[in-house]
Amino acid sequence: MGAWAIAVHGGAGVDPNLPKERQEEAKRLLTRCLDIGISALRSNLSAIDVVELVVRELETDPLFNSGRGSALTENGTVEMEASIMDGPKRRCGAVSGLTTVKNPVSLARLVMEKSPHSYLAFSGAEEFAKKQGVEMVDNEYFITEDNVGMLKLAKEANSILFDYRIPAVGTCGASAAMDSPLQMNGLPISVYAPETVGCVVVDKQGRCAAATSTGGLMNKMSGRIGDSPLIGSGTYASELCGVSCTGEGEAIIRSTLAREVSAVMEYKRLNLHEAVDYVIKNKLDEGKAGLIAVSKDGEVACGFNTTGMFRGCATEDGFMEVGVW
Ligand SMILES: NC(=O)C[C@H](N)C(=O)O
């Protein structure tokens, strides 16, 4: 029997001026999610069950950019996407363009287990959700006041927001840099760069799994698909490791970032930490991103080239850490 390990993230690209209380709120949520994952692992749930359970929790809380609290499209609607992968058999499921499915990650799991396909999107995915009897809600359920304010700011700055205050990152368009605290109509508004969520787990049997869920980029075009649902880009799991990414989707897609971690472990014989460092330094094609990863040997690692990344990890020997910078 090996040792379990778990890591969670709530996105890379954290604003350095993010108010302390929002940082603390995010850290509390990540800690709660780690605790849920830890007790599930202690009860011998499999890695794939644990990543789904933890990501559901993150989707249900409006704090991060997934499920309720998702970033909005240019039309002010929510189009969510998620994926999940089971390392040992390299089984996977993914969904995009969801507008009424309460927990996208669970629909991705159902695509993996109950459909002959790996990836369903838009109306076909919603039809499948209805047939599977998953919980569905109105699109308004996902839209938060914070995000309506953020969309307005994004439109004013004419920008697609990955991180609304980091100027002109890579392919993300015009600078949306703004002073803190932000104001709208002369009133301070509550702003918060909402970010993608993910979880990676290795269980006692050495099985790795990964899941990622997001609303994508603020002010994205309707129909835009990012890295999070793309197996190999935003999410990947193999018999060696499980990886979940966050950051500029277009750059992560060009770099097939999640798969690269597994590939360099396999072909360059690097351990998990070496593989994560190598990939962040050498394989990320001019973009800003971060990732969390676990290996079959119970190691856990994270890497990012952004200012910060909301993340937390825990291992069976009692180690637990939640960090931002
Ligand atoms: N914040 C994020 O991680 C965004 C996500 N990677 C996307 O491009 O859709």
Side-chain angles (χ1 to χ4, degrees):
M1 280 274 182
W4 57 253
I6 178 171
V8 287
H9 73 76
V14 188
D15 168 20
N17 299 315
L18 187 68
K20 258 254 144 20
E21 79 261 17
R22 299 311 291 259
Q23 292 179 34
E24 292 309 316
E25 213 180 325
K27 280 169 48 185
R28 276 198 299 277
L29 175 55
L30 292 174
T31 307
R32 195 176 86 218
C33 288
L34 277 179
D35 285 338
I36 290 171
I38 292 167
S39 29
L41 283 160
R42 285 189 182 136
S43 319
N44 285 326
L45 251 68
S46 64
I48 190 80
D49 285 336
V50 178
V51 294
E52 182 188 355
L53 185 74
V54 168
V55 170
R56 277 180 70 94
E57 189 70 19
L58 288 160
E59 288 175 340
T60 306
D61 193 293
L63 195 67
F64 291 121
N65 171 13
S66 68
R68 181 145 189 269
S70 279
L72 306 177
T73 67
E74 60 188 355
N75 303 326
T77 56
V78 160
E79 291 177 6
M80 297 166 290
E81 41 198 22
S83 63
I84 191 163
M85 187 158 183
D86 191 14
K89 293 199 175 133
R90 301 205 188 186
R91 296 184 310 152
C92 58
V95 285
S96 280
L98 299 183
T99 53
T100 62
V101 174
K102 192 169 174 220
N103 289 107
V105 71
S106 293
L107 192 65
R109 173 100 189 248
L110 288 166
V111 169
M112 175 173 103
E113 280 177 359
K114 300 274 173 8
S115 89
H117 306 299
S118 319
Y119 192 174
L120 293 175
F122 294 93
S123 55
E126 296 268 330
E127 275 305 308
F128 177 69
K130 268 183 223 146
K131 284 194 191 126
Q132 292 297 321
V134 302
E135 191 173 354
M136 309 202 38
V137 289
D138 285 343
N139 198 249
E140 288 82 73
Y141 160 85
F142 302 103
I143 301 174
T144 62
E145 218 177 291
D146 276 8
N147 284 345
V148 172
M150 293 268 295
L151 179 64
K152 189 157 187 270
L153 291 168
K155 282 184 181 288
E156 280 165 8
N158 192 22
S159 175
I160 298 161
L161 297 192
F162 157 58
D163 181 320
Y164 66 102
R165 283 186 231 177
I166 295 179
V169 274
T171 55
C172 281
S175 164
M178 293 172 193
D179 292 332
S180 182
L182 287 170
Q183 301 215 324
M184 205 188 300
N185 303 327
L187 296 170
I189 60 161
S190 161
V191 286
Y192 177 62
E195 292 297 347
T196 297
V197 304
C199 179
V200 292
V201 166
V202 54
D203 61 25
K204 275 192 184 164
Q205 282 75 36
R207 296 173 297 202
C208 297
T212 311
S213 182
T214 190
L217 300 180
M218 185 65 77
N219 202 21
K220 68 181 181 180
M221 287 170 68
S222 176
R224 182 261 187 188
I225 291 172
D227 60 296
S228 308
L230 299 184
I231 295 300
S233 293
T235 305
Y236 197 71
S238 64
E239 36 330 306
L240 295 176
C241 63
V243 184
S244 171
C245 302
T246 170
E248 277 178 70
E250 284 67 13
I252 297 170
I253 292 169
R254 288 195 301 274
S255 313
T256 55
L257 201 62
R259 161 72 185 149
E260 281 296 325
V261 175
S262 184
V264 299
M265 286 179 80
E266 194 173 346
Y267 302 122
K268 280 181 159 290
R269 305 268 164 211
L270 300 184
N271 69 32
L272 187 77
H273 293 273
E274 291 164 348
V276 168
D277 281 354
Y278 180 84
V279 163
I280 294 285
K281 283 197 192 102
N282 301 298
K283 295 287 177 180
L284 191 55
D285 175 18
E286 291 179 5
K288 294 280 176 197
L291 61 86
I292 52 170
V294 288
S295 76
K296 69 168 184 8
D297 301 320
E299 297 162 301
V300 60
C302 77
F304 52 93
N305 64 2
T306 48
T307 329
M309 175 163 95
F310 285 118
R311 64 199 187 276
C313 62
T315 51
E316 192 166 3
D317 56 15
F319 171 78
M320 181 161 162
E321 191 175 61
V322 174
V324 185
W325 311 112

